[in-house]
Amino acid sequence: MSFTKPLLLFIVLIEFKTPVFSRRTSPEDYFSHETDVLPDQLSWLSNRRKSSEYSSYGTPRSGGRSLNKNPNIILVMTDDQDVELGSLNFMPKTLRILGEGGARFPNAYVTTPMCCPSRSSMLTGLYVHNHNVYTNNDNCSSSKWQQEHETRTFAAYLSNAGYRTAYFGKYLNEYNGNYIPPGWREWAGLIRNSRFYNYTINMNGKKIKHGDDYYQDYYPDLIANDSVAFLRQSKQFFSKKPVMLVMSFPSPHGPENAAPQHQHLFHNITTHRTPSWDYAPNKDKQWLLRYTGKMEPIHMKFTDVLHTKRLQTLQSVDDAIEKLYNELKYLGELENTYIFYTSDHGYHLGQFGLVKGKSQPFEFDVRVPFLVRGPFVPKGVRISDIVINVDLAPTFLELGGVEVPKHMDGKSIVPLLKDAYEQFSKSKEVSKEVRPKKGWRESFLIERGKLTKLYKDLDSLPTVKPMKKRQLIAGNCGKSEYSSPCKPYQTWECLHDGQRWRVRKCRNKKKKNCWCEDDDDGVFAEYISRALDTKQHLQSDIPSDFLGIEGKKAMKPQERRLQRKFLKEHVNQGFRPIFIGSRRKREILVSRPDEYFDINGVIGLSHWLDFTVKDSAQLQVNSSAGLVWFYDDDLGMGIPEYENSLDQNIEHKISVRSVSKLVQPSGYEATFHPHGCVALSNNSVICVDPVYYDKKSWRMNKNQLDVVIKGLKSKLYELKGLRRQLQKKRPPTGDESSGYFTQVKDYPVTSGRRCHCDDEEEQHSLKAWRTGQREARRVARQQKQEARLKKKEKKNRRKAKYKGFECNAAKMNCFTHDDKHWKTPPYWTYGPFCFCQNSNNNTYWCLRTINSTHNFLYCEFVTGFIIYFDLRSDPYQLRNAVYDLELFKLQDMRRQLNQLRRCKGAEECTIKSQLQDQERLEDHISSYSSRFSVFRSSEIRRRQHKQEKDRLLLSSNKRTNLAN
């Protein structure tokens, strides 16, 4: 028996040519026991297992796995594959096996068009504002992500349910390969970003470097071979365990290195030249597109060559799909395996003048391919319901018989597959359209947001209504670590001056650490009086930036010297110049078009929505809603005042500038009517219609404004008096004014108090502890300096590579391309060029709605700009139709967007279109009004006829009486 197993393993290796995995299988894997009970969620499969319709799309091979067991699940994922540019049409094997042999979802989208955020949503089933991975760098595979979310991926749940899980390919952009993510039994994850050659993978805990030999190192082929070997191994040694396999290909992501046998294909293919290709500049869109001009000839040629190379790299994925299909068919597992094919996001090549990239909210970046083949999935069906990337994790769990956790934002698409099977199980047509499912989502959220540096400092504030500074200090002063007097190892202490709590640093230098027990109330009273005397001579400790006082901007010394030299030569002596900090205006290379589009009007609409839509005031502060506003034309170069950001967290999480001119002083309250006016930042005023024709509303608003003006005048008079008092009572100069409590810090200890002091040994330990802290800080500073130097060296090497060829712009994401960029044919021989493809104010939240009556995209940018596209009449999103909308529709879209931005769980994140319901209500009202008018006119005619009849009867009676 000892010779049987090695002999069998040797035969398998020779016959199937499988690579040997670096991790040995444990003895427990050979004796795993699985239940053969089908989960309740798949009862629709078991009920039809003996029906004759099952044979219409194939029966399992003899000797194959019984369908009584949980199905195998395979996810095939590409990197940056589009739908709008037609890349899927050049993959005939994939379309034949998965498209014609399964279901196609034309309305499949991602919630964030960036690699790491989208992949994190696929793994966890969460929106970006819930898993907090905002960009490819921020929180991507960080320690916070590993602790909070990586332990709750679909792999962890399925592994605990008995699935044999495996991952081959690219994982997350910042994955460093120092650990194996939980839930994966077989792991071969790529370290860092996508590559085809010269990469490193973590193979079950061991880092393996690969070179540039096609036959040994070409990464797409390696992923396909390892996946097939894993399926063979699972079939031979773990036949009772279902499989969960992820094949994450780098194609068609850069550097777009195609296999040698595919490098002659698809030259001169121009399917990427859609109607929006080189459609620039766009005066009616966000800042980036307004200042992006038409492409130069070298840019146009680059888009053509890059499109060709992307299509070539996808041919390896197409071959891998065929290889996977044949292997499953050979193993007898094809009819018990679900295969999902999708991408992490789309891509653009020249659309709206952007040479290449992603990160835009338009169809070419957020729409992805989505194909499904598996048991009881009819062939060639087309399911038009909305499917998003957060639906993958709940779908895998339901297929695996695992209860879907309530915290996941996505929904399982198993009900959609069930409806398709029930509708077309007897049909033999090749192309079939599935009826939309009732109750399915009609809208979803598209978000791309990154926390600013200022907001990270404010992230600790409460979410709903932040407490004031005094309340926060008073709450913390009740804790023992802030007690007074200071104890050993204590850094801060709290003292009360009779009106409020103060915090100061503990200072116990060159004296024993002592603390006393308060036995005499008079001591504390005298301390209070001294503290109050000190308070009169000192200024408030509230910093100027907290009060909204904007400081002078820094000026470069060279510029200051030049200005002084100019003034000495041209100005009389005795003149004292005041230098005002300024910055250079950004050079705009592309001029604005001749056609006019009211940009300020769109920003004004956004401010009006902030004031009228009350739901925005209740928007909770989370990772995506608490962003600091940029000015649209400043590109976020300046940092807004601290006061604005604080008011933003308290009042309006979307924009504080919309009501900045209506801020009331404390002590003066005025309730602004919902039908009032709003003063905007451009000195314009927006009033709702009742103010203009309703005299009562006009008088009410005028009286409210009079009250506010009166209160502000009174407050201004009071503040001027305080300023005069502070100017008269200046604090003394010297050592006496070095701190806030200078007069009370050396207060003598009276005989009425019992004091305790530490001994010399405890002082010794305190000194040693402080020495250790200083050493730790020194080491941290040294490590930070080394990292900074390393980053600087890398930057210098990049500069030396291009030999002075500069490609950068302030607050912009730019890239360079030269003749040495691509290492495989077809090569680039047209010289270097530079292009800026993204900006730091390209942060947005969008509402995407698709149903029987609506198909639109509504977006709000961090700059306050709004875009709206009706895709029924404008499928390529060429014209911003925000001015075509009625105000009540804008308000309804804002409410839905706010709801999605703070949603948690599938129940909150699944909403129906309220616009459709509102229009139906309007139709009902109009029809009711018409019916009521018809009924009323008929009723009036009936009454008139009755009155005429009564009059004639009365006159006839009178004539009869007279005749008698």
Side-chain angles (χ1 to χ4, degrees):
M1 193 66 184
S2 60
F3 296 94
T4 304
K5 290 184 179 179
L7 180 61
L8 290 176
L9 179 60
F10 179 76
I11 294 175
V12 171
L13 292 176
I14 292 179
E15 182 178 358
F16 299 115
K17 300 180 182 180
T18 60
V20 179
F21 290 91
S22 59
R23 188 178 70 86
R24 296 179 179 269
T25 54
S26 59
E28 290 79 9
D29 293 339
Y30 290 93
F31 302 97
S32 60
H33 300 280
E34 298 290 336
T35 59
D36 296 338
V37 181
L38 193 69
D40 296 337
Q41 291 87 342
L42 295 179
S43 58
W44 60 281
L45 300 180
S46 60
N47 294 335
R48 297 183 178 270
R49 191 166 286 131
K50 297 181 181 180
S51 62
S52 60
E53 294 82 9
Y54 177 59
S55 60
S56 62
Y57 56 89
T59 57
R61 288 171 53 106
S62 60
R65 179 176 294 176
S66 173
L67 286 179
N68 290 329
K69 301 175 183 178
N70 289 345
N72 302 317
I73 305 171
I74 298 178
L75 172 62
V76 181
M77 180 166 48
T78 55
D79 196 356
D80 294 7
Q81 185 177 2
D82 59 88
V83 171
E84 294 292 311
L85 309 186
S87 62
L88 194 61
N89 298 329
F90 296 89
M91 303 177 67
K93 300 173 184 178
T94 302
L95 291 178
R96 174 176 53 85
I97 295 172
L98 301 181
E100 299 176 3
R104 299 184 65 173
F105 291 80
N107 293 326
Y109 294 87
V110 295
T111 58
T112 303
M114 296 189 73
C115 293
C116 196
S118 179
R119 290 171 178 266
S120 301
S121 296
M122 290 181 179
L123 292 168
T124 60
L126 300 176
Y127 273 113
V128 167
H129 64 266
N130 288 330
H131 62 62
N132 301 324
V133 180
Y134 305 107
T135 66
N136 291 335
N137 300 316
D138 190 21
N139 200 32
C140 179
S141 190
S142 65
S143 57
K144 183 179 179 182
W145 154 263
Q146 297 173 23
Q147 296 172 3
E148 296 182 5
H149 302 291
E150 203 166 29
T151 57
R152 300 193 298 175
T153 62
F154 62 80
Y157 290 105
L158 291 177
S159 179
N160 293 334
Y163 268 77
R164 180 167 166 77
T165 58
Y167 195 104
F168 300 98
K170 175 184 174 179
Y171 184 53
L172 298 176
N173 295 54
E174 293 298 321
Y175 173 67
N176 55 18
N178 294 333
Y179 70 100
I180 299 178
W184 301 104
R185 300 299 303 272
E186 293 291 341
W187 177 258
L190 176 67
I191 298 178
R192 303 300 179 185
N193 207 355
S194 292
R195 284 178 176 242
F196 295 82
Y197 296 105
N198 300 311
Y199 55 88
T200 303
I201 63 173
N202 181 325
M203 189 68 174
N204 292 322
K206 182 180 180 181
K207 293 183 180 181
I208 302 177
K209 293 184 178 181
H210 287 263
D212 55 0
D213 185 4
Y214 166 74
Y215 297 98
Q216 297 181 3
D217 304 315
Y218 191 63
Y219 198 37
D221 292 349
L222 187 70
I223 294 173
N225 295 335
D226 286 350
S227 301
V228 169
F230 170 76
L231 292 174
R232 293 174 181 174
Q233 187 190 52
S234 300
K235 175 67 175 179
Q236 180 179 2
F237 297 106
F238 313 97
S239 59
K240 291 186 178 181
K241 278 196 171 187
V243 168
M244 170 67 221
L245 171 63
V246 176
M247 303 170 64
S248 180
F249 290 93
S251 309
H253 193 282
E256 300 95 11
N257 293 326
Q261 65 270 24
H262 301 141
Q263 293 172 359
H264 67 284
L265 301 174
F266 310 121
H267 290 274
N268 301 321
I269 297 295
T270 58
T271 57
H272 64 289
R273 296 195 176 192
T274 61
S276 61
W277 186 81
D278 202 24
Y279 187 82
N282 293 268
K283 61 188 181 302
D284 58 344
K285 296 181 177 64
Q286 64 267 30
W287 188 94
L288 177 65
L289 299 184
R290 289 204 298 272
Y291 295 111
T292 298
K294 287 186 173 295
M295 294 186 293
E296 299 176 3
I298 191 174
H299 298 152
M300 297 180 181
K301 183 63 178 179
F302 174 78
T303 61
D304 297 340
V305 177
L306 181 58
H307 185 54
T308 297
K309 293 184 72 69
R310 284 169 55 85
L311 296 179
Q312 291 174 354
T313 60
L314 286 173
Q315 300 312 299
S316 298
V317 181
D318 201 35
D319 294 340
I321 295 295
E322 185 181 40
K323 188 173 186 178
L324 175 67
Y325 170 81
N326 293 333
E327 185 65 27
L328 290 172
K329 188 175 181 180
Y330 182 85
L331 296 176
E333 298 289 335
L334 180 62
E335 300 303 335
N336 192 33
T337 302
Y338 284 92
I339 305 176
F340 293 80
Y341 182 92
T342 187
S343 176
D344 54 0
H345 52 75
Y347 206 73
H348 59 256
L349 288 172
Q351 278 64 37
F352 297 132
L354 299 173
V355 176
K356 74 168 187 175
K358 50 235 181 187
S359 305
Q360 304 299 324
F362 305 108
E363 290 288 286
F364 43 74
D365 281 355
V366 297
R367 190 164 169 237
V368 294
F370 198 94
L371 309 174
V372 180
R373 179 192 175 107
F376 300 95
V377 177
K379 291 183 177 181
V381 297
R382 190 172 183 270
I383 303 176
S384 60
D385 295 281
I386 297 176
V387 175
I388 53 181
N389 55 349
V390 297
D391 295 336
L392 287 174
T395 301
F396 297 160
L397 296 187
E398 184 169 354
L399 290 175
V402 180
E403 183 180 358
V404 179
K406 294 183 178 180
H407 73 272
M408 287 189 175
D409 302 330
K411 296 179 63 177
S412 171
I413 67 170
V414 171
L416 301 181
L417 301 177
K418 174 183 176 181
D419 288 354
Y421 176 77
E422 293 177 351
Q423 183 176 349
F424 295 104
S425 58
K426 298 181 180 180
S427 177
K428 296 183 180 180
E429 298 180 6
V430 177
S431 179
K432 293 165 280 198
E433 186 77 22
V434 180
R435 292 187 299 268
K437 182 176 179 58
K438 295 182 179 180
W440 193 256
R441 74 163 64 89
E442 296 179 348
S443 301
F444 64 96
L445 175 68
I446 302 174
E447 57 184 335
R448 181 187 181 272
K450 181 181 179 181
L451 288 174
T452 61
K453 183 178 180 180
L454 179 59
Y455 179 72
K456 290 180 180 178
D457 298 334
L458 301 175
D459 195 25
S460 59
L461 292 176
T463 56
V464 180
K465 188 176 182 181
M467 294 186 296
K468 295 181 179 179
K469 179 181 178 181
R470 295 184 182 182
Q471 296 175 346
L472 289 173
I473 294 177
N476 290 328
C477 285
K479 300 178 181 179
S480 59
E481 55 264 29
Y482 298 109
S483 61
S484 179
C486 295
K487 297 181 177 61
Y489 309 106
Q490 184 174 335
T491 308
W492 301 92
E493 66 170 336
C494 290
L495 299 173
H496 200 280
D497 60 1
Q499 294 184 356
R500 55 189 290 190
W501 285 98
R502 302 287 186 180
V503 180
R504 72 174 183 180
K505 195 170 184 178
C506 295
R507 300 187 181 277
N508 299 313
K509 295 183 178 180
K510 298 181 180 180
K511 62 180 181 180
K512 291 185 178 181
N513 189 21
C514 302
W515 65 96
C516 305
E517 300 176 3
D518 294 330
D519 294 333
D520 191 357
D521 295 336
V523 176
F524 190 67
E526 185 175 358
Y527 161 76
I528 293 175
S529 63
R530 295 194 179 194
L532 290 176
D533 293 337
T534 305
K535 183 180 179 181
Q536 296 178 0
H537 298 283
L538 298 175
Q539 295 180 354
S540 174
D541 60 340
I542 302 177
S544 59
D545 56 349
F546 183 80
L547 297 175
I549 302 174
E550 189 173 4
K552 297 181 180 179
K553 297 181 179 179
M555 180 182 295
K556 293 183 178 180
Q558 183 179 1
E559 183 179 359
R560 185 182 295 271
R561 286 194 298 269
L562 292 176
Q563 292 190 17
R564 288 188 182 277
K565 182 179 179 181
F566 175 84
L567 291 174
K568 287 181 180 180
E569 296 176 356
H570 296 83
V571 182
N572 297 331
Q573 294 183 356
F575 176 77
R576 183 179 180 183
I578 299 177
F579 294 92
I580 300 176
S582 61
R583 62 178 174 87
R584 241 181 359 175
K585 292 187 178 180
R586 188 174 299 102
E587 296 180 1
I588 304 300
L589 300 179
V590 181
S591 59
R592 290 176 178 270
D594 298 334
E595 297 84 356
Y596 177 72
F597 186 84
D598 189 4
I599 303 297
N600 294 329
V602 178
I603 304 252
L605 274 176
S606 177
H607 299 333
W608 179 80
L609 288 174
D610 296 335
F611 184 66
T612 57
V613 180
K614 298 301 179 183
D615 194 25
S616 62
Q618 301 173 359
L619 190 62
Q620 297 180 359
V621 177
N622 52 33
S623 57
S624 62
L627 293 173
V628 179
W629 274 78
F630 295 114
Y631 288 92
D632 191 52
D633 290 329
D634 284 346
L635 192 61
M637 291 296 293
I639 298 298
E641 293 82 6
Y642 189 87
E643 177 192 15
N644 290 343
S645 61
L646 184 62
D647 290 340
Q648 178 187 12
N649 288 327
I650 299 174
E651 292 290 337
H652 295 274
K653 305 302 184 297
I654 306 299
S655 172
V656 71
R657 292 177 290 162
S658 59
V659 291
S660 60
K661 298 185 179 182
L662 299 179
V663 177
Q664 307 170 37
S666 58
Y668 298 90
E669 298 182 359
T671 304
F672 290 92
H673 200 268
H675 302 290
C677 302
V678 181
L680 303 180
S681 58
N682 57 357
N683 296 327
S684 60
V685 178
I686 294 180
C687 294
V688 189
D689 291 341
V691 176
Y692 295 111
Y693 61 79
D694 188 1
K695 189 174 182 180
K696 185 177 180 180
S697 298
W698 176 86
R699 184 180 292 107
M700 181 183 300
N701 282 273
K702 182 179 179 301
N703 293 338
Q704 291 170 352
L705 291 174
D706 291 340
V707 171
V708 175
I709 293 173
K710 183 178 179 180
L712 290 174
K713 287 182 178 179
S714 176
K715 190 67 176 179
L716 181 61
Y717 181 78
E718 180 183 350
L719 292 174
K720 287 183 178 180
L722 293 175
R723 185 178 63 179
R724 287 193 297 269
Q725 180 67 19
L726 290 175
Q727 290 176 350
K728 293 179 181 179
K729 301 287 186 178
R730 290 180 177 272
T733 59
D735 297 336
E736 297 179 356
S737 60
S738 59
Y740 194 95
F741 293 94
T742 53
Q743 299 186 18
V744 298
K745 68 177 183 178
D746 295 327
Y747 181 74
V749 180
T750 61
S751 59
R753 307 178 73 191
R754 296 173 55 192
C755 297
H756 309 274
C757 297
D758 295 334
D759 54 8
E760 294 295 335
E761 183 179 355
E762 200 159 346
Q763 287 287 322
H764 227 17
S765 61
L766 176 61
K767 186 176 181 180
W769 177 80
R770 288 176 176 171
T771 303
Q773 292 292 317
R774 285 194 296 269
E775 181 65 21
R777 289 193 295 268
R778 186 190 65 80
V779 173
R781 286 194 302 269
Q782 184 178 359
Q783 293 177 352
K784 188 175 181 180
Q785 185 177 5
E786 292 176 355
R788 190 184 298 112
L789 292 175
K790 187 177 180 180
K791 185 177 181 181
K792 188 175 181 180
E793 291 176 358
K794 184 178 179 181
K795 185 177 181 181
N796 293 334
R797 288 196 302 268
R798 191 184 303 114
K799 287 183 177 180
K801 176 182 177 182
Y802 295 101
K803 297 181 181 179
F805 181 71
E806 296 183 359
C807 182
N808 55 64
K811 305 299 180 180
M812 296 284 288
N813 180 15
C814 307
F815 77 94
T816 56
H817 192 87
D818 60 357
D819 297 346
K820 299 180 180 180
H821 183 77
W822 285 323
K823 306 298 183 182
T824 58
Y827 298 107
W828 177 257
T829 59
Y830 300 92
F833 69 90
C834 169
F835 187 82
C836 297
Q837 59 187 354
N838 209 344
S839 61
N840 76 330
N841 63 352
N842 192 38
T843 298
Y844 52 80
W845 301 267
C846 299
L847 176 69
R848 185 72 173 92
T849 298
I850 303 175
N851 53 36
S852 58
T853 58
H854 294 83
N855 186 2
F856 66 83
L857 172 69
Y858 170 82
C859 295
E860 295 180 356
F861 286 80
V862 72
T863 58
F865 194 74
I866 298 176
I867 59 175
Y868 171 82
F869 300 96
D870 187 355
L871 274 74
R872 294 178 300 175
S873 58
D874 185 16
Y876 295 99
Q877 300 156 296
L878 303 179
R879 175 180 171 269
N880 184 5
V882 65
Y883 284 123
D884 297 346
L885 293 174
E886 299 180 4
L887 294 181
F888 79 92
K889 290 186 177 180
L890 277 174
Q891 291 176 324
D892 187 67
M893 292 177 186
R894 165 64 68 86
R895 293 189 186 96
Q896 292 187 57
L897 184 59
N898 290 344
Q899 178 181 346
L900 288 174
R901 286 180 59 184
R902 63 169 180 264
C903 72
K904 291 185 178 181
E907 186 175 354
E908 294 183 8
C909 296
T910 304
I911 62 175
K912 297 182 180 180
S913 176
Q914 300 179 5
L915 290 174
Q916 183 179 1
D917 299 337
Q918 195 163 1
E919 290 184 355
R920 289 175 181 173
L921 179 62
E922 291 179 354
D923 294 339
H924 288 315
I925 292 175
S926 61
S927 62
Y928 173 77
S929 301
S930 61
R931 291 197 303 269
F932 180 75
S933 61
V934 172
F935 170 77
R936 187 172 182 180
S937 60
S938 61
E939 183 70 16
I940 291 174
R941 288 196 300 269
R942 188 183 64 82
R943 288 182 181 180
Q944 291 176 351
H945 179 71
K946 184 178 180 181
Q947 291 176 359
E948 183 67 19
K949 185 177 180 180
D950 293 342
R951 186 180 63 81
L952 293 176
L953 181 62
L954 183 61
S955 61
S956 63
N957 290 337
K958 286 183 179 181
R959 286 194 299 269
T960 303
N961 293 334
L962 290 175
N964 293 333

